[in-house]
Amino acid sequence: MKQKEKEKILFYLPMLIIMIMSLFIMYHARLISPLFKNNAVKQSIFFLIGITLICLKDKIKINWLFDYSFYFYLFNCFLLLLVLFIGDTTNGARAWFKLGFFNVQPSELMKLFLCLYLSKMTDKHSFHSIKDEIKYILKVSLIIIIPSILVFLEPDTGAIFFYIIISIAIALNSKLSKKWFFFFTILILILLTLLFYSYFYHQELLIKMLGTSLFYRMERIFDFQKGLQIENALIAIGSAPLFQINLQNTGIYIPEAPTDFAFALTSNVFGILGNIILLICYFSISCFLLKIWKNQKKGKMKYFLSGFILMFLTNLFYNILMNIGLLPIMGIPLPLLSYGGSTTIVYFLFLSIILKRKKKSDSSY
């Protein structure tokens, strides 16, 4: 067997295993709540759409996607604005367009279009002087701020987090001087220190400055280790046997088990061994993606890969650490495992574009 074929197996096989495990835990989720009774069927449809996208990857015109990425970005900003007025509300967030059995979440689509547009813009930008670098920083900031404000109003904090991650990854791989990253790191640390100090010692002043709504969001973040979700998630993981296949018993109740807490739900269904298999699968996929990134020449595709890979890895680490109580709870599902049409299809779109990439010797990307 050729080396390339072995590498493809180490990518496609883990993906298949994760998808099969996802369908099992979605089937199990019907025991948690009647709201989840159709999750397994819907997730199967999402996976079929995703697999179709992978199979049709050779039809994708990548240069066309990059060329028109600005218009995709603008259209998605319009959708983010529109969803605030006519979108469907779930768990207090107005973030979806309801289209029959399928809900479209524009904030998820923005991850793809933002990555495409920032990659194109970075590739075309010159970095010959400090003035050029400041222009680049201002452009990137404006491109991120517009959708972030709209998404914040939904609210969907998790999506904003990934917009920033994508932009950082692309900027890090650009010719932008690394002194800027040092400067912004120091600035962010100072702001966070002031925020923490105000929260613990001057709450009344902080409420006056930010308002009660934003303050209570912060309060939930600071008290992330309290609450039914995280307590039951920790019980589910901590009390799970080494291995089981549980499709009949509810197990530990976790309200958002099919989405944000799919990792903990895996313990309910497959035991600790199921979590270990998941980690191995994600590790194999990550290695495959990092090798593609390493072999890709500089250009739009290199930036695009950088944005996606850092987003993917951050997504994995944050969700898993969130499930074991080490990070605050945000709306961050686990790729390919958690329930969700928009998230799943957007990840398959990313992967279809990456798998369609041209060879290292081709400089057109």
Side-chain angles (χ1 to χ4, degrees), residues 323-353:
N323 270 244
I324 59 176
L326 296 180
L327 284 175
I329 296 172
M330 282 202 289
I332 298 178
L334 204 53
L336 305 177
L337 183 77
S338 295
Y339 174 78
S342 296
T343 304
T344 301
I345 291 171
V346 165
Y347 264 101
F348 272 107
L349 282 168
F350 266 109
L351 292 171
S352 299
I353 293 170

Side-chain angles (χ1 to χ4, degrees), residues 206-268:
L206 197 61
I207 291 172
K208 286 180 181 179
M209 292 173 60
L210 302 178
T212 54
S213 178
L214 185 57
F215 175 80
Y216 287 126
R217 283 194 219 174
M218 287 178 56
E219 194 170 40
R220 287 198 299 270
I221 291 174
F222 283 115
D223 293 334
F224 68 90
Q225 290 184 323
K226 297 178 182 178
L228 180 66
Q229 292 267 41
I230 188 60
E231 289 174 3
N232 284 10
L234 291 172
I235 293 170
I237 295 171
S239 63
L242 179 62
F243 177 72
Q244 64 178 352
I245 298 179
N246 173 27
L247 298 177
Q248 300 300 325
N249 299 316
T250 305
I252 305 299
Y253 173 71
I254 307 169
E256 298 297 329
T259 51
D260 299 348
F261 287 90
F263 187 77
L265 183 58
T266 301
S267 302
N268 262 348

Side-chain angles (χ1 to χ4, degrees), residues 131-285:
K131 187 178 178 180
D132 290 335
E133 293 186 346
I134 292 173
K135 281 183 179 179
Y136 176 77
I137 292 169
L138 291 174
K139 280 183 181 178
V140 171
S141 300
L142 181 62
I143 291 167
I144 296 170
I145 286 171
I146 294 171
S148 294
I149 291 172
L150 295 170
V151 169
F152 181 79
L153 295 173
E154 294 180 359
D156 184 1
T157 315
I160 299 170
F161 177 66
F162 286 113
Y163 299 163
I164 295 169
I165 291 294
I166 289 169
S167 63
I168 289 172
I170 292 171
L172 276 169
N173 280 271
S174 71
K175 296 177 182 177
L176 184 68
S177 174
K178 300 301 178 280
K179 66 185 178 184
W180 290 107
F181 295 98
F182 176 76
F183 169 76
F184 283 114
T185 300
I186 297 298
L187 181 62
I188 289 168
L189 288 174
I190 292 171
L191 292 173
L192 286 175
T193 302
L194 290 172
L195 188 63
F196 274 78
Y197 178 78
S198 300
Y199 177 80
F200 288 108
Y201 298 104
H202 297 283
Q203 290 192 356
E204 290 184 5
L205 177 62
L206 197 61
I207 291 172
K208 286 180 181 179
M209 292 173 60
L210 302 178
T212 54
S213 178
L214 185 57
F215 175 80
Y216 287 126
R217 283 194 219 174
M218 287 178 56
E219 194 170 40
R220 287 198 299 270
I221 291 174
F222 283 115
D223 293 334
F224 68 90
Q225 290 184 323
K226 297 178 182 178
L228 180 66
Q229 292 267 41
I230 188 60
E231 289 174 3
N232 284 10
L234 291 172
I235 293 170
I237 295 171
S239 63
L242 179 62
F243 177 72
Q244 64 178 352
I245 298 179
N246 173 27
L247 298 177
Q248 300 300 325
N249 299 316
T250 305
I252 305 299
Y253 173 71
I254 307 169
E256 298 297 329
T259 51
D260 299 348
F261 287 90
F263 187 77
L265 183 58
T266 301
S267 302
N268 262 348
V269 180
F270 294 107
I272 297 300
L273 187 59
N275 295 126
I276 293 171
I277 291 170
L278 270 180
L279 293 175
I280 293 170
C281 289
Y282 282 126
F283 178 77
S284 180
I285 292 170

Side-chain angles (χ1 to χ4, degrees), residues 24-207:
F24 270 98
I25 67 172
M26 291 310 126
Y27 181 74
H28 175 271
R30 81 197 190 283
L31 302 173
I32 298 173
S33 168
L35 295 173
F36 307 143
K37 65 179 181 179
N38 296 321
N39 280 21
V41 175
K42 291 181 180 180
Q43 191 79 334
S44 300
I45 295 170
F46 302 149
F47 284 150
L48 285 173
I49 294 170
I51 292 167
T52 302
L53 289 170
I54 294 286
C55 293
L56 296 176
K57 66 182 184 297
D58 291 333
K59 304 291 184 181
I60 298 173
K61 298 179 180 179
I62 297 183
N63 278 328
W64 182 83
L65 290 175
F66 281 116
D67 290 342
Y68 289 92
S69 57
F70 176 66
Y71 301 104
F72 294 138
Y73 167 82
L74 283 181
F75 178 68
N76 210 137
C77 286
F78 169 72
L79 291 180
L80 288 172
L81 179 62
L82 191 63
V83 79
L84 295 174
F85 296 97
I86 63 171
D88 191 56
T89 302
T90 304
N91 294 331
R94 190 182 290 274
W96 293 267
F97 290 115
K98 194 171 183 64
L99 304 175
F101 83 96
F102 183 59
N103 293 338
V104 177
Q105 191 173 6
S107 60
E108 289 296 318
L109 289 171
M110 180 55 78
K111 294 175 185 176
L112 176 64
F113 298 143
L114 186 69
C115 196
L116 282 166
Y117 180 48
L118 284 177
S119 299
K120 176 195 172 185
M121 190 269 287
T122 302
D123 186 50
K124 290 186 175 295
H125 194 87
S126 61
F127 296 89
H128 299 308
S129 65
I130 293 179
K131 187 178 178 180
D132 290 335
E133 293 186 346
I134 292 173
K135 281 183 179 179
Y136 176 77
I137 292 169
L138 291 174
K139 280 183 181 178
V140 171
S141 300
L142 181 62
I143 291 167
I144 296 170
I145 286 171
I146 294 171
S148 294
I149 291 172
L150 295 170
V151 169
F152 181 79
L153 295 173
E154 294 180 359
D156 184 1
T157 315
I160 299 170
F161 177 66
F162 286 113
Y163 299 163
I164 295 169
I165 291 294
I166 289 169
S167 63
I168 289 172
I170 292 171
L172 276 169
N173 280 271
S174 71
K175 296 177 182 177
L176 184 68
S177 174
K178 300 301 178 280
K179 66 185 178 184
W180 290 107
F181 295 98
F182 176 76
F183 169 76
F184 283 114
T185 300
I186 297 298
L187 181 62
I188 289 168
L189 288 174
I190 292 171
L191 292 173
L192 286 175
T193 302
L194 290 172
L195 188 63
F196 274 78
Y197 178 78
S198 300
Y199 177 80
F200 288 108
Y201 298 104
H202 297 283
Q203 290 192 356
E204 290 184 5
L205 177 62
L206 197 61
I207 291 172

Side-chain angles (χ1 to χ4, degrees), residues 275-318:
N275 295 126
I276 293 171
I277 291 170
L278 270 180
L279 293 175
I280 293 170
C281 289
Y282 282 126
F283 178 77
S284 180
I285 292 170
S286 300
C287 289
F288 177 82
L289 292 171
L290 286 169
K291 186 166 185 179
I292 291 175
W293 175 83
K294 183 181 178 181
N295 292 334
Q296 184 69 38
K297 290 187 70 174
K298 281 287 184 181
K300 292 175 288 196
M301 198 62 201
K302 183 85 168 184
Y303 297 130
F304 183 81
L305 278 161
S306 303
F308 172 72
I309 291 172
L310 187 59
M311 180 186 77
F312 179 76
L313 293 175
T314 304
N315 198 157
L316 292 181
F317 282 108
Y318 196 101

